[in-house]
Amino acid sequence: SMQDTPMVPTVHVEVRLKPRATARFETIRARISDWMLSFERINLASTLDGFQDIPDLVSVERVFVSEASNVQNSLRVSDITLQIHVYQPLDSDSFEEFTNSSGAKDDEGGDMAASVCELPNRSWEGLWDSLVYADDIKMKLLDYIHATLILSDADVDFNLVSWNRVVLLHGPPGTGKTSLCRALAQKLSIRLSHRYSQARLLEINSHSLFSKWFSESGKLVQRLFTSITELVDEEDTFLVVLIDEVESLTAARAGAMAGTEPSDGLRVVNALLTQLDKLKHRKNVLIMSTSNLVKAIDSAFVDRADIVQYVDLPSREAVYEILRTCLCEMITKGITVPTLKQAQMYELSAIHSPEHALGTIDPREKSKHLALRLLSLAAQCRTQGMSGRALRRLPVLALARYIGIGHLAPPTTTSGAKGNRKQHSGAD
Ligand code: ADP
């Protein structure tokens, strides 16, 4: 363990400001700190309420207490160190694109080689929390970054301890790899704002970079890395580079060696690897890459990754959580009726309803019953090997089926209670 660090857990508090609100971040931080120190305990991974009544905090939109590794879920405020991060996400239109030839957009549908977005960005708000993994991949990634920061700060000799600032996430499609990279970039831009006044995410679409502009792509890779280097030269900016579908970039080298690809491909991959090696000495950059096919990736690339993380299809518990959050959103937005209200409706229609006789009217019973059904549904989804992406669209398909059998709106009357039962069968 580290000698100077007492075992006081640090809890990160993320304070989001309303769009276009003007406020002094320092004042907000101080007020939030005073306010939170008046609590006895706090729960991790929870949104706090009550700041709305404090005059200085009118510009605050949300106060979120983050999760932390190796601590319980509920902590005494006196036992922890609070680190308060105030941020104001930028609007989603702050994207800039790189194309095949400078300035001009691609006429054939705009396949962009890369795009840059300013962080923290509204587009990626909520993404981190929406991603559910059985083994704690999210904390593992944050802890890795933390470790590299400690080593950088201590100025350790790179000849003795070295790393590449490259992370590779691989696994089946639709398991949230790309989303996790973006969410991590967003998280870092919030967490590191005291070190870096700006943060950016540069996304490289390997597929369009490499396949479409094949003959040009040598130059394009050079140009991209020139831009990347320029971005990294701004020392108060933290840059996350996301290389999606990295196998399409690096498979070419294997092909070239087997003599099936033009040597162009080989040059590009070598250029990429050389450029990556140069970046490892820069403190303010992180390279995130994803792949659906780890076997197709050049081993020289895989070898450079500090973390090679397999991202699996969701476990039964993760499926449950994903479906539960889907349902909660449907309830929040008024598409589905919450259990308690449903139970009241059943009560209204009790005379006609067989549920009355079956005794499932008690809201708690009803809620447990639904939870069990959801769990068995989750087990089925798991058996079928459904991805997170497939799961998040299930409610759409369920609603489509519900509409298909003649129910356009959620039931509000006695007769609706019948419809509600049908909705369940639709969701099956
Ligand atoms: P990949 O890059 O692995 O193909 P994406 O990042 O494109 O996957 O995932 C698409 C969407 O699917 C995500 O934005 C998210 O809504 C959903 N999703 C995927 N995996 C998960 C997960 N583990 N937990 C929650 N949602 C998920």
Side-chain angles (χ1 to χ4, degrees), residues 14 64 66-67 128 142 183-191:
E14 300 174 0
F64 182 74
S66 297
E67 62 272 57
W128 177 269
L142 278 180
L184 181 71
Q186 175 93 342
K187 198 69 158 180
L188 292 175
S189 71
I190 297 166
R191 294 272 176 99

Side-chain angles (χ1 to χ4, degrees), residues 55-77:
D56 278 339
L57 299 180
V58 283
S59 46
V60 174
E61 191 170 55
R62 177 180 188 250
V63 179
F64 182 74
V65 183
S66 297
E67 62 272 57
S69 31
N70 302 323
V71 288
Q72 317 101 288
N73 234 9
S74 166
L75 295 163
R76 293 173 62 87
V77 173

Side-chain angles (χ1 to χ4, degrees), residues 127 130-133 172-179 292 322 388-389 392:
L127 193 56
S130 76
L131 295 168
V132 188
Y133 294 107
T175 48
K177 299 179 295 297
T178 311
S179 307
N292 296 331
I322 293 170
R389 183 188 282 133
R392 291 233 179 259

